[in-house]
Amino acid sequence: MCCISSFYVFVTWSQIFTKPPCAFILFAYFFKIFFYFSGVGCNSVEKKIYVHLNYTFPCVRLLNATHQIGCQSSLSGNVGVLHELESEENLDWVLTSGPNPPYMVILESRLFTRSIMMKLKEGSGRVAGVVVVAPNINPPEGFSPHTACPNDNSGVYTENYDPTLAHCNATVWNPLGNGLAYEEFDFPIFSVKDDNDTRVIRQCYQDHNRRVNGSNPQFPLCAMQLRSSMSAVTNTATCKRRNDINFSLTPDRVCDELGDFNIWASSRPMNTTTKGHKEFESVVIAAARMDSRSFFFDIAPGAESTASGIVTLLAAAHALRRATQEAPPNRTILYTFFQGETFDYIGSSRMVYDMENNQFPLDLDNIHSVLEVSQVYILIYLGLWLHSDPVSRKNSSVKEEVEKLVNGLKSASAGLNVSVDEPDVSQPLPPSSFQRFLLARPIPGVVIGNYRSSFTNRYYESMYDNAEYLNVSYPENMTSEEQLEHFPETVKTLTEVATLVARALYVQAGGNETQLANITADPQIVNQMLYSFLVRANNSWLQQLVPTDFTNHLADRPTNFYVGVIQYFSEPTTLVQYMLANMTGSVVNVTQEDCQKQREDKDDDQSKHLYTYMWVQGAAPPNSTEREGFCVRSTVHRSIAVSPAFELHEYTTSNYSTWTESVWKPITGRIFLVANTTITANPVNYFVKLWGKKWRHKQARTSHL
Amino acid sequence: MNLERLPNEEKLGLCRKYYLIGFAFLPFLWLVNVVWFFQEAFIKPAYSEQLQIKSYVKRSALGLLVWVTVLTTWITIFQRFRAEWGEVGDYISFTIPLGTP
């Protein structure tokens, strides 16, 4: 603001020179000068009033066919007087007795519970917003903002399929789920980390807002303004309709559909340009999900729910590389990573839809069986559970195949430190991508998880499902290089699980049992992948596997697995793509130009139907700093993962996911001192009163004369 | 324009013109008619054309009242129920508020 005012001073200076060309030149000159200086040494009044909050995670609005969830603030931001909540009883101050509403409530993480949030939701105008202070260690009692029955209406268990298994009647998968992430709030909710910013907030509260000896705090009070104004309302159909309005005066984008890409690779190359059914191709799908979420936007560490499955499947693919090339089994193994599964199975429903409509290189009839890797983090003495669908098992051929798969897994576990078992026969499948395949065809399949009848994950789909929960910790004082050499305990168990999955897949694909002893996962690879996903993607190992233009997308913080709106370089999808290429592909001696044009030499136009070529930057040899790139040939492909509802333009359907994310104005937060609440509530009123006072003063003075 | 300087026939002609053109969906002309010619019609001492001017002013006032009622009713209904009309409401709106239904 002050820069603009000083700029205007210089514009008037330039008008001293009346000759127009001279004035213009001078004007342009000072304009340029002021742009250079605007960032430096500007004695801004704004900086003396406001303290901006830097590392905040807001809660945003998401919409589906029938509801809107998440938070909303007013267009310029909600302002409220700060109040630190001490306990649930203290809510009374905020909701009824406090003299300076509206209040901005600061919650410690232990108070971020459903009962307190529901009471605040009923606050009706006295609550301006909520700030949750994220602790440095996970809350021991567990916290899951997801629903207790995840993906309830979008899986295979509906009233038609089997009423006794629908709506988690048989077993509740996420018992700690409080459903907060699916509630609607009309005030903003932000999350701040417990660091310097938060200390400033708490200090401000202690200095100005605390009650002393039972008397109410006096003005000036510390206040906070949170701005997270969402444009979309009501539901997906409404916001999509408003996106498309042509003759409106101000065409604004209001919402965007959630989606990304699925990543898949086949153990044997097949023609990907011809779509639809492939004769003589029988495929075993090895599936894992690639996404997670939390209550707040853009933070979804998903360590147990997502990363454990991805790392296990990638390590299994690496372990199987040699065996599938030297002694290829009868059936092809398709390693598939689905994106968007949290939001009603976006990725898997799209893949099934593409298969049904001949948009995918395979067909549903080509699928022999499915093996899905769900949450598989275990401690040494615990085991894994093999879930299958009881309804499709009533068919004898399906039952036989499932039993074969289960026996393959059990025999593969014999030589390893991992034990597997089957839960109760009548128990349904847990929430998994396999359910969408079952919706289309009765395919035999098994879902591997570390839980018997309800998740052992205490932080399912929350911001606490992170490296700390998985006991993956690296000593702080090590550099990134040294940390990659250090193996936490978790790595060893995950390696065992990966070996189990790899051997079972090989047997299921019809491979020779004598080869099994040679199939083992590499713990170093597992460690490097876990480090990349859970601690920092910007490490020396991963930098070798990616092309040069992706390196600045590598983050220095844990991977964010939130599916978000479709973008070309989304973090988890691209990481999995390059890792999978490295695990299953091979290095070929091809020039960079040919590599990027998807061919092996000038005259080759067949390879692009079978393979994908990627030029990655590689490592720098010991004597120089220039990296030596190379070409990786693999069968890794991306397939679009946007819900079929958006292809068909059916925004009210209940058959497919209809989740969209609202578009928002810039999201900011700041704290400041406020002199009198009436200025925040009703500025016109305040100034009228002020003028009234001044005018009366003036009257009084002139009457003396 | 100062009505004082005009002869009475021209005043009558002006009033009539405003009254007639106001039928072309221009209620503000009737408002102007009522406000401008009010003094001429009701307060000035009688002259020959005053009776006709009075009738035009009265009819303009009536038309204005009808317009105001219709517009107020429609605006109230629209503002209150636009959100519930869904697609129809969006179709007849020029600007739709962001963030609220």
Side-chain angles (χ1 to χ4, degrees), chain A residues 236-464:
Chain A
T236 297
T238 311
C239 85
K240 276 289 183 192
R241 185 176 68 225
R242 292 186 185 177
N243 265 353
D244 296 334
I245 291 182
N246 291 329
F247 58 81
S248 159
L249 287 179
T250 51
D252 276 325
R253 262 207 93 71
V254 177
C255 68
D256 297 302
E257 55 258 28
L258 290 181
D260 203 328
F261 293 94
N262 296 325
I263 304 286
W264 61 271
S266 53
S267 63
R268 194 165 51 196
M270 57 182 180
N271 193 329
T272 51
T273 323
T274 57
K275 316 276 184 199
H277 188 77
K278 282 208 164 41
E279 284 294 319
F280 313 121
E281 187 76 63
S282 177
V283 159
V284 175
I285 292 186
R289 69 185 258 210
M290 228 190 335
D291 79 314
S292 178
R293 73 167 299 204
S294 76
F295 185 81
F296 300 100
F297 174 71
D298 230 16
I299 178 168
E304 187 184 344
S305 61
T306 315
S308 65
I310 299 179
V311 168
T312 308
L313 194 55
L314 282 174
H318 179 77
L320 279 171
R321 173 163 64 181
R322 185 129 57 93
T324 49
Q325 278 170 6
E326 291 172 5
N330 297 341
R331 305 188 188 99
T332 314
I333 304 175
L334 200 75
Y335 308 103
T336 341
F337 296 87
F338 294 107
Q339 184 64 281
E341 299 300 273
T342 320
F343 291 102
D344 293 342
Y345 304 122
I346 299 178
S348 48
S349 66
R350 183 54 187 261
M351 186 174 274
V352 171
Y353 176 81
D354 282 347
M355 285 181 177
E356 286 172 335
N357 291 298
N358 295 333
Q359 294 293 320
F360 194 76
L362 290 172
D363 196 308
L364 284 169
D365 297 320
N366 287 124
I367 302 179
H368 173 260
S369 51
V370 175
L371 178 63
E372 180 163 343
V373 182
S374 178
Q375 311 173 65
V376 287
Y377 161 66
I378 48 170
L379 302 169
I380 289 285
Y381 48 87
L382 295 176
L384 292 174
W385 297 90
L386 310 174
H387 303 268
S388 57
D389 171 47
V391 176
S392 61
R393 276 169 82 154
K394 291 182 187 152
N395 179 329
S396 55
S397 62
V398 172
K399 181 163 184 248
E400 211 182 293
E401 278 301 328
V402 172
E403 276 171 9
K404 230 184 357 165
L405 187 46
V406 169
N407 288 335
L409 279 158
K410 282 184 175 163
S411 63
S413 75
L416 299 169
N417 250 337
V418 184
S419 66
V420 296
D421 203 349
E422 278 181 281
D424 199 23
V425 185
S426 59
Q427 194 175 268
L429 280 177
S432 49
S433 317
F434 175 45
Q435 286 197 23
R436 292 298 302 199
F437 286 88
L438 265 186
L439 250 186
R441 281 308 145 83
I443 302 176
V446 164
V447 176
I448 309 177
N450 63 8
Y451 45 91
R452 182 184 185 161
S453 58
S454 54
F455 294 155
T456 56
N457 190 349
R458 295 200 306 276
Y459 307 110
Y460 185 64
E461 312 284 48
S462 81
M463 60 186 183
Y464 306 118

Side-chain angles (χ1 to χ4, degrees), chain B residues 72-100:
Chain B
T72 313
T73 320
W74 165 246
I75 290 173
T76 317
I77 294 178
F78 182 75
Q79 293 291 344
R80 168 71 182 83
F81 291 110
R82 177 192 58 80
E84 278 125 55
W85 289 342
E87 188 169 351
V88 174
D90 284 351
Y91 187 64
I92 58 178
S93 304
F94 263 122
T95 57
I96 301 174
L98 296 176
T100 51

Side-chain angles (χ1 to χ4, degrees), chain A residues 16 89 259 261 267 277 337 442 464 486 566 601 608-609 662 691:
Chain A
I16 291 174
E89 291 73 34
F261 293 94
S267 63
H277 188 77
F337 296 87
Y464 306 118
H486 170 85
I566 194 165
D601 54 52
K608 64 175 191 270
H609 301 297
S662 164
W691 258 346

Side-chain angles (χ1 to χ4, degrees), chain A residues 201-212:
Chain A
I201 300 174
R202 284 198 230 260
Q203 193 60 41
C204 190
Y205 173 76
Q206 292 291 333
D207 293 340
H208 300 276
N209 290 20
R210 220 160 32 106
R211 298 187 77 181
V212 201

Side-chain angles (χ1 to χ4, degrees), chain B residues 4 8 11 37-54:
Chain B
E4 303 284 333
N8 288 341
K11 283 187 213 166
F37 284 95
F38 190 78
Q39 205 182 30
E40 288 293 321
F42 296 105
I43 303 202
K44 279 251 174 78
Y47 53 89
S48 54
E49 288 85 353
Q50 197 193 42
L51 210 57
Q52 286 181 304
I53 292 184
K54 207 188 280 195

